[in-house]
Amino acid sequence: MRLRALLDTEALGLRLLGGEDELDRSVRGVMTTDLRDPSRYLSGGELVLTGLAWRRDAADSEPFVRILANAGVAGLAAGEAEMGDVPDDMIEACLQHRLPLFAVDETVAFATITEHVVRQVSGERAGDLAAVVDRHRRLMTSGPAGGGPEVVLDLLTSDLDLHAWVLSPTGRQIAGAGEPLPPRVGAELAGRHLAATRTGRPGPHRAEVGGTSYSLFPIRNTGRGALPAAPRDVRASVLSDWLLAVAADAGDWPAARLDLLQGVTQLIAVERDRRDAARAVRRRLAQEVLELVQTGAAPAEIAARLRVAAPVLLPGLGTAPHWQVVVARVEWSQEDADLSGGRAAQALLEEILVDPAVAGPDSADRIAVAYTGEEAIALVPLTAVPAAADGAEAQEGADAPEGTDAPEGTDAPERQETALHADALLDAVRAPLAAGLADDGRLTLGVSAPVHSAEGLRGALEEARHARRVAAARPGPVCAAGHHELASHVLLLPFVPDDVRRAFTARLLDPLRDYDRRHRAELIETLEAFLDCDGSWTRCAARLHLHVNTLRYRVGRIEQLTGRDLSRLEDKLDFFLALRMS
């Protein structure tokens, strides 16, 4: 189709701002972007739609337009919903580079323009996608009547005899037509796709699994949910982009069929953007709760915020849940200031926390993930804690929530919801993620024990962070650790900050060391032996070859110098830890 035809369609709400002499250009596709440099996603002939979110000042307009002109795009359409009138510097830059510029009325959605262009272009190139485009609005509908991406995939099967599935970067099936893809095959295809993407090769990628050939088309996340990273660094999005797996070898397809499938990925990308927009509210609420927890807010304030957020964070749950905290971090061996590890970890953690057996783009609607710096943090609600959960707090949390008592005279039903286990979270996704991380990336993850109140969230957050540090000390690109691995003080001590360790040991042991230097009294040696003998006077005296009265004198001197009482368990434990940390 021609650019001129777009102006003749009143429903599109387009107004020409410049480039009247260039309106006979052909439009081969459409792309929506808010990236400052979208060139990696352009192949020429596109109508580019942008909300101008990338523009910070007038100096940004000319470089952006120059990139589009060099890529050979057909035209640029700028939305007025966010920024108001298109700025003059944008108009001047388009005139300079002879790029037709349109203004999009604030009442018109980019999806409407995308649907119109895809319908027209597809009809002119190959009639076999016309039915898919005619039902594009059903793709955009979130209710049961719309069916989401399955509508497009069903039509690919019925009209083109192509069996296709939309997969997450871990291989989980998000949408499919007909028989579901076996999880093992999905994970293998995702790993092949991530490995090929890391090499920089353009899609579609070919893979053969179980004797079947597949073509893997990337579904680029270029909308509002896209990671704000350097667009040419594939690491910025490799762990978050979806893919379209088609059970066919696209190597001998004509150009028209390849273009047709690229159009389908654009439609599915709109669904991805819709999902991310819906998830933004949960992310923001999780961020607010996290900030309260990290700043030491009163538990009552945190609990009140959780109650307000419950209808969004816990749709349909109806009861006050127990919580677990999961912390994840994505790190690259070659640091780059433009790479956002926190945002990448956030998108990845949202995917990992979904049951791999659950299909659909909205199956994570009870998972709230925030990020701070290079770290992603998830608040995961549990309606019950299993009876075998570790720790006294988890056992207390196993009581039925208020309002769930069984009728009098009957036994209460045993509610069992399995708490998250660190290793189990990564079992199904370890292989594909390792392919995406390649040789220069690492994912580490820590999981807390369940807690049953807002009062326990701060402790759960620190516990999950300690567990993640334990995972980071292990070899391999994908590692996790859980709260059950933090029971030993030997495991915890290496993660105490150096300044805290020095202050703690100095406060307890420096008076004894000073006394030993002056009097050669061997108080440190005596203290170690006394603790090793579990406070037994007889055994300790025998070990040190001392009379019991001499031992009592030394212990008394230790207590006098430190102000501690070695008959108290708390003081014994403090001395024990101080000696280990020294």
Side-chain angles (χ1 to χ4, degrees):
M1 67 176 300
R2 307 283 183 179
L3 280 176
R4 191 180 303 279
L6 297 175
L7 287 174
D8 297 332
T9 307
E10 294 183 1
L12 300 183
L14 295 178
R15 188 172 74 257
L16 183 65
L17 299 180
E20 185 174 1
D21 296 338
E22 304 292 333
L23 291 181
D24 286 329
R25 291 186 181 186
S26 295
V27 180
R28 299 179 60 251
V30 63
M31 175 195 177
T32 300
T33 186
D34 279 321
L35 296 174
R36 300 182 68 185
D37 181 0
S39 56
R40 66 183 294 186
Y41 305 114
L42 298 172
S43 58
E46 297 93 343
L47 173 66
V48 175
L49 307 176
T50 180
L52 300 179
W54 49 266
R55 181 184 178 275
R56 293 173 298 191
D57 55 43
D60 291 336
S61 294
E62 193 278 333
F64 178 82
V65 173
R66 184 174 67 252
I67 289 170
L68 300 188
N70 291 340
V73 305
L76 173 65
E80 296 181 325
E82 294 289 338
M83 306 289 291
D85 292 340
V86 178
D88 291 339
D89 49 87
M90 174 65 69
I91 298 174
E92 293 173 3
C94 288
L95 289 174
Q96 176 185 344
H97 292 281
R98 301 180 63 83
L99 183 66
L101 175 64
F102 302 87
V104 182
D105 190 87
E106 62 181 1
T107 62
V108 178
F110 281 177
T112 301
I113 301 173
T114 299
E115 178 181 350
H116 177 83
V117 172
V118 172
R119 180 188 296 117
Q120 297 300 318
V121 172
S122 300
E124 292 175 2
R125 290 184 189 165
D128 55 2
L129 193 58
V132 177
V133 180
D134 286 340
R135 295 172 69 181
H136 175 216
R137 192 165 299 282
R138 291 192 64 192
L139 170 68
M140 301 296 295
T141 304
S142 59
E150 285 83 357
V151 174
V152 174
L153 301 184
D154 282 338
L155 290 172
L156 284 177
T157 301
S158 61
D159 294 357
L160 306 178
D161 196 27
L162 289 177
H163 297 274
W165 302 264
V166 178
L167 303 178
S168 75
T170 65
R172 182 177 63 89
Q173 181 172 315
I174 294 170
E179 291 294 323
L181 200 64
R184 179 190 63 81
V185 176
E188 179 70 19
L189 291 176
R192 301 277 191 92
H193 174 74
L194 291 173
T197 302
R198 283 303 308 271
T199 66
R201 299 199 308 267
H205 308 300
R206 184 184 180 279
E208 185 169 325
V209 178
T212 301
S213 294
Y214 296 89
S215 296
L216 310 177
F217 294 80
I219 300 173
R220 304 297 187 189
N221 183 16
T222 59
R224 295 190 180 105
L227 296 174
R232 292 194 179 278
D233 194 331
V234 70
R235 294 175 299 173
S237 60
V238 67
L239 298 177
S240 59
D241 282 347
W242 290 357
L243 67 138
L244 177 68
V246 182
D249 187 349
D252 56 356
W253 282 4
R257 178 60 65 90
L258 288 172
D259 287 344
L260 183 150
L261 265 295
Q262 295 292 353
V264 170
T265 64
Q266 289 182 8
L267 296 182
I268 297 173
V270 175
E271 165 68 13
R272 172 71 184 271
D273 194 33
R274 181 200 66 79
R275 186 205 68 156
D276 284 341
R279 184 170 288 181
V281 177
R282 290 195 298 278
R283 288 172 168 173
R284 187 173 66 251
L285 290 174
Q287 197 82 35
E288 293 173 0
V289 173
L290 173 63
E291 288 174 0
L292 289 176
V293 172
Q294 292 194 120
T295 55
E301 184 179 359
I302 298 173
R305 191 72 191 92
L306 285 172
R307 284 195 297 271
V308 172
V312 175
L313 292 181
L314 313 169
L317 204 55
T319 59
H322 306 273
W323 298 92
Q324 274 184 284
V325 177
V326 183
V327 173
R329 192 179 181 103
V330 173
E331 297 172 293
W332 304 100
S333 57
Q334 295 180 352
E335 295 184 2
D336 190 324
D338 290 332
L339 280 175
S340 175
R343 287 290 298 271
Q346 179 186 46
L348 195 55
L349 190 52
E350 287 172 336
E351 171 61 29
I352 291 173
L353 291 174
V354 179
D355 184 343
V358 177
D362 296 321
S363 52
D365 61 356
R366 289 181 182 173
I367 296 169
V369 183
Y371 79 94
T372 172
E374 296 300 308
E375 189 178 64
I377 302 168
L379 300 174
V380 183
L382 305 171
T383 55
V385 177
D390 294 334
E393 186 175 34
Q395 291 294 335
E396 294 174 7
D399 297 337
E402 183 179 354
T404 61
D405 295 336
E408 186 176 357
T410 65
D411 292 332
E414 185 177 357
R415 297 174 298 104
Q416 295 290 329
E417 179 171 323
T418 305
L420 299 176
H421 191 278
D423 288 334
L425 283 176
L426 296 180
D427 281 347
V429 302
R430 194 181 305 273
L433 291 184
L437 292 163
D439 296 329
D440 61 344
R442 290 203 76 202
L443 167 68
T444 52
L445 183 144
V447 181
S448 78
V451 295
H452 65 281
S453 68
E455 196 170 59
L457 282 178
R458 184 174 178 83
L461 174 59
E462 292 306 315
E463 187 174 59
R465 282 174 167 162
H466 277 303
R468 193 207 64 78
R469 295 188 189 104
V470 170
R474 296 171 176 167
V478 181
C479 297
H483 61 90
H484 58 284
E485 300 181 66
L486 304 183
S488 170
H489 64 276
V490 176
L491 202 58
L492 286 173
L493 292 183
F495 302 103
V496 177
D498 289 342
D499 55 345
V500 175
R501 183 184 309 179
R502 286 192 295 269
F504 182 74
T505 57
R507 186 169 64 251
L508 279 178
L509 302 183
D510 279 2
L512 306 182
R513 289 170 177 151
D514 291 342
Y515 192 87
D516 281 347
R517 279 194 296 269
R518 294 196 307 269
H519 303 284
R520 298 182 180 179
E522 299 180 344
L523 295 184
I524 292 290
E525 180 184 354
T526 302
L527 177 62
E528 290 178 331
F530 186 74
L531 295 175
D532 285 345
C533 293
D534 298 324
S536 170
W537 297 101
T538 303
R539 284 193 289 124
C540 183
R543 175 182 293 189
L544 295 175
H545 306 290
L546 298 174
H547 192 277
V548 171
N549 288 340
T550 303
L551 175 61
R552 291 184 184 277
Y553 171 80
R554 288 189 181 181
V555 170
R557 178 65 67 183
I558 291 170
E559 292 175 335
Q560 179 185 17
L561 291 170
T562 61
R564 299 300 185 104
D565 183 353
L566 278 169
S567 67
R568 297 178 68 247
L569 176 62
E570 294 89 345
D571 288 342
K572 286 181 182 177
L573 180 59
D574 281 352
F575 277 123
F576 178 78
L577 293 176
L579 288 168
R580 285 302 181 97
M581 286 191 292
S582 64

